[in-house]
Amino acid sequence: MTVKPCKPTDMCIILTYRCPMRCKMCNIWDYPTERSKEITPDEIKRLPSVKFINLTGGEPFVREDLEEVLDICFTKSPRVVISTSGWLEERVIDIAKKFPNIGIRISIEGLSCKNDRLRGKEGGFDKGLRTLLTLKEMGLKDIGFGCTVSNDNSADMLSLYRLSRALGLEFATAAFHNSYYFHKSDNVITNKEEVCGNFEKLINMQLKEPRPKSWFRAFFNMGLINYIEGNRRMLPCEAGMINFFVEPYGDVYPCNG
């Protein structure tokens, strides 16, 4: 039997390792890329067309040629989402004015004090929230929080979720982990009972929502509990088949592990 190769639908491009933040769970800022060696718009033109593109970093908004990158990405995919700290708020707003269909996910790891401590920059929460509020006033639809849950912020995750619901914003979660480009090896959840308990509370709130999308997110969060507890993943890994990563020097990987 001949097995047809899968055509990936999702692409993540890490535009840079340069970053203004000083996150506790990531040392990427200590290993910045050289601007002259980062993937160029012309090189991005050679990538395939997909259904979804995520632009991440580092901090994507430090790229001076981000507009040119976005022009190309929107020829490759109908949906492009940028993951950002929101630190460069004026830059985010300027880009959103020129690309009103852009998606923006601002990484916020807790309420004000918790977020600023974990992300290593005082005022980071205020900048991120202010940016999201401005984007919402501008009429952007595909905007929201992204929260990486660690040992220290699972309770704040619940508060952020309630805030996202009150503001009508998207809310995405991840469990912190190690990756070669994080330059970290100690991102391990040790207070599993507390963290998993708070994920269970989040799941219960999501299942009470009238949106099927929230139910799917609840299932995803069940998978995070499974991961934290060291069990087998609930869904098969699709790295390299459905999704792939392009790092700042142009190398292609099946995942960012």
Side-chain angles (χ1 to χ4, degrees):
M1 182 178 67
T2 302
V3 179
K4 293 183 179 180
C6 296
K7 182 179 180 181
T9 60
D10 297 2
M11 172 168 57
C12 179
I13 306 174
I14 307 171
L15 291 176
T16 180
Y17 290 150
R18 292 179 283 142
C19 187
M21 309 307 286
R22 298 293 182 265
C23 296
K24 304 298 183 185
M25 74 291 287
C26 176
N27 290 333
I28 196 173
W29 50 271
D30 210 22
Y31 300 85
T33 39
E34 296 179 39
R35 298 184 188 188
S36 62
K37 295 182 179 180
E38 291 172 348
I39 189 169
T40 66
D42 282 340
E43 289 169 333
I44 292 174
K45 286 180 181 178
R46 298 162 59 185
L47 294 170
S49 295
V50 291
K51 294 181 179 179
F52 171 71
I53 294 176
N54 174 230
L55 299 177
T56 186
E59 174 51 68
F61 284 94
V62 303
R63 287 282 299 247
E64 294 83 355
D65 58 354
L66 185 57
E67 288 183 38
E68 187 178 356
V69 169
L70 286 169
D71 279 330
I72 294 166
C73 285
F74 273 112
T75 69
K76 300 286 184 180
S77 174
R79 184 172 180 234
V80 180
V81 175
I82 303 179
S83 300
T84 174
S85 65
W87 185 258
L88 304 174
E89 52 184 311
E90 293 182 2
R91 179 91 165 113
V92 178
I93 299 306
D94 287 343
I95 288 291
K97 289 177 180 177
K98 295 169 183 174
F99 298 90
N101 293 327
I102 194 73
I104 301 289
R105 292 295 180 276
I106 293 186
S107 298
I108 295 182
E109 315 306 348
L111 299 180
S112 181
C113 293
K114 183 77 70 176
N115 176 80
D116 293 358
R117 182 174 66 81
L118 289 175
R119 297 192 67 81
K121 284 281 192 175
E122 186 176 351
F125 177 85
D126 292 353
K127 280 177 173 283
L129 181 57
R130 186 164 52 234
T131 301
L132 283 171
L133 292 174
T134 303
L135 293 172
K136 185 172 177 61
E137 289 177 356
M138 291 168 57
L140 270 73
K141 304 297 184 184
D142 194 359
I143 56 175
F145 297 109
C147 180
T148 299
V149 181
S150 62
N151 289 305
D152 300 325
N153 67 341
S154 63
D156 275 31
M157 169 188 70
L158 300 175
S159 298
L160 286 177
Y161 171 75
R162 295 185 183 99
L163 180 60
S164 73
R165 292 293 87 220
L167 296 175
L169 303 174
E170 299 293 333
F171 185 76
T173 52
F176 85 151
H177 58 282
N178 299 304
S179 175
Y180 72 94
Y181 71 95
F182 295 169
H183 301 278
K184 292 280 287 184
S185 59
D186 58 351
N187 285 340
V188 179
I189 291 178
T190 53
N191 56 336
K192 296 181 180 181
E193 184 175 350
E194 177 185 350
V195 174
C196 291
N198 283 324
F199 266 118
E200 288 175 359
K201 292 177 183 178
L202 175 62
I203 289 168
N204 288 332
M205 288 190 285
Q206 289 174 322
L207 290 175
K208 291 177 181 178
E209 290 189 35
R211 302 188 308 159
K213 186 175 183 179
S214 296
W215 307 340
F216 281 107
R217 283 184 170 155
F219 182 77
F220 175 82
N221 287 322
M222 287 175 61
L224 290 182
I225 291 176
N226 216 43
Y227 164 76
I228 292 167
E229 292 179 338
N231 299 320
R232 291 183 61 184
R233 60 183 301 137
M234 296 171 64
L235 294 172
C237 178
E238 297 177 330
M241 295 181 291
I242 301 300
N243 55 273
F244 64 95
F245 279 73
V246 183
E247 57 94 68
Y249 298 113
D251 293 326
V252 178
Y253 292 91
C255 72
N256 68 338

